[in-house]
Amino acid sequence: MKKIIKYSVLALFAFALTGCQLYKKYELPKDESPLVEEYAKALELQPDSTTLPYLGWKQIFQDTILQGYIETALANNKDLENARLNIDIANAQLKGAKLSYFPSVTFSPNGGSASYGGSHMNWSYTLPLAAAWEIDAFAKLLNKKRGAQVNVELMQDYEQAVHSQIVCGVASVYYSLVMLHQQLGLSKRTSEIWKEQVETMELLKNAGRTNEAAVVQSRANYYNIMSTIPTLENSINQLQNTLSLLLNVYPQEWAVTGDLTFTIPEEVVNGIPISYLATRPDVRALERSMAAAYYTTNSARTNFYPSIVISAQGGFTNLLGSIIKNPGDWFIQLAGSITAPIFSRGVNIATLEAAKAQQKLALHNFEYGVLTASADVSDALVAYNKGVEQNKYLQLQVDQLEKSVDYTNELFLYNQSTTYLEVLTARSSLLQAQLSCITNWHDRASALISLYQAVGGGR
């Protein structure tokens, strides 16, 4: 017996030595990927709370009308509420994992009676209270608890992603509405000018200064601009309904601002450090997935180690052995057990191999996610900067075309060998340039929204 105890203790000691890795907390696998190593180094930099990823959405979208819409969407959106409920579920699972360190206690009273050959019925009863406690000698419970903690963080990342999507989604629809209202206003103002142009051409025709062809052409030009107004109004109505859905209310008309300015953080012009990517919810979620896969692999390894359980049972009974004693008496039992896996038909081996493969898959997904995030940031940053550059030239173009319209119209009115076709061309070019300026404004606003979301903004 002494030899058996001695060898059992030595075996447990050997298992403990080989299982030290089971207790290690997850760390980024820097040695397995240069990209992960670069990402880990970037995380060591001290973050600046005034930079783009850490700014709240009210600091970016300062339009008070837009802020009211975003607040309504955040309060009413069911996806965000579901994300918060998922966090509650994950926290409940984490609580269960923590409580698994405590012993389980059960109370199962029982009683019975038996008669043989007409003998007297002797009633027996037992009122037992049983407790069992699993000693976490090989980090089985520890890895499950850490995995549950990672799951909570994953749900928090998901909630942040939904929050960011709502904020940026409302801002995107709102700025599209502003753009369409600007285009509609420009089209209506232009239609009034071209209506006056038709009247002017009719007067010039009566005065013998032009012909019917010019009058007809001016009317066609007027009708063309008028035809764009219903299209714009229909698009506005569709976006109004889209905004209503985002705000989770019945379709209605929504006011927009006439102010075309928006806040532009200065640091976006010079590029985005890789450390900013760590604030993106999807990148953080992929990092958490690697941690979850790590703890799943550790849990799979623990299947090869023995389980140690200490149990106790005590209570009150009148059944002592084969003797029924009245009144009863108290009893107590203590026991310990070690269950070591020997042969499980390859289940444990297959589980471990699958967990290792899942861990590599999580690493690959993380690498691709970081590259995708970098591409998103680069696309948004270049789009914004190029939009600013384009706007400078569009403004210059509008200034020159306004002069061209004035000069051409004066030359035509004073019969300086200028045809109405030249007047029409000048006015059409000015309208297109003005519409291009509005579109460029919207493109810059969209690029800023995309950039803000690409670096994990939306708080």
Side-chain angles (χ1 to χ4, degrees), residues 52 55 57-63 175 260-266 268 384 444 448-449:
L52 184 63
L55 292 179
W57 58 266
K58 286 188 177 181
Q59 296 172 277
I60 298 298
F61 309 116
Q62 296 185 354
D63 186 322
Y175 284 131
L260 299 185
T261 60
F262 47 80
T263 302
I264 306 171
E266 295 180 358
V268 303
Y384 177 78
R444 285 182 286 126
L448 180 61
I449 294 172

Side-chain angles (χ1 to χ4, degrees), residues 110-112 123-127 316-319 324-329:
N110 62 82
W123 287 90
S124 63
Y125 60 87
T126 303
L127 305 175
F316 192 78
T317 182
N318 70 340
L319 182 61
I324 297 177
K325 175 185 175 182
N326 288 305
D329 205 350

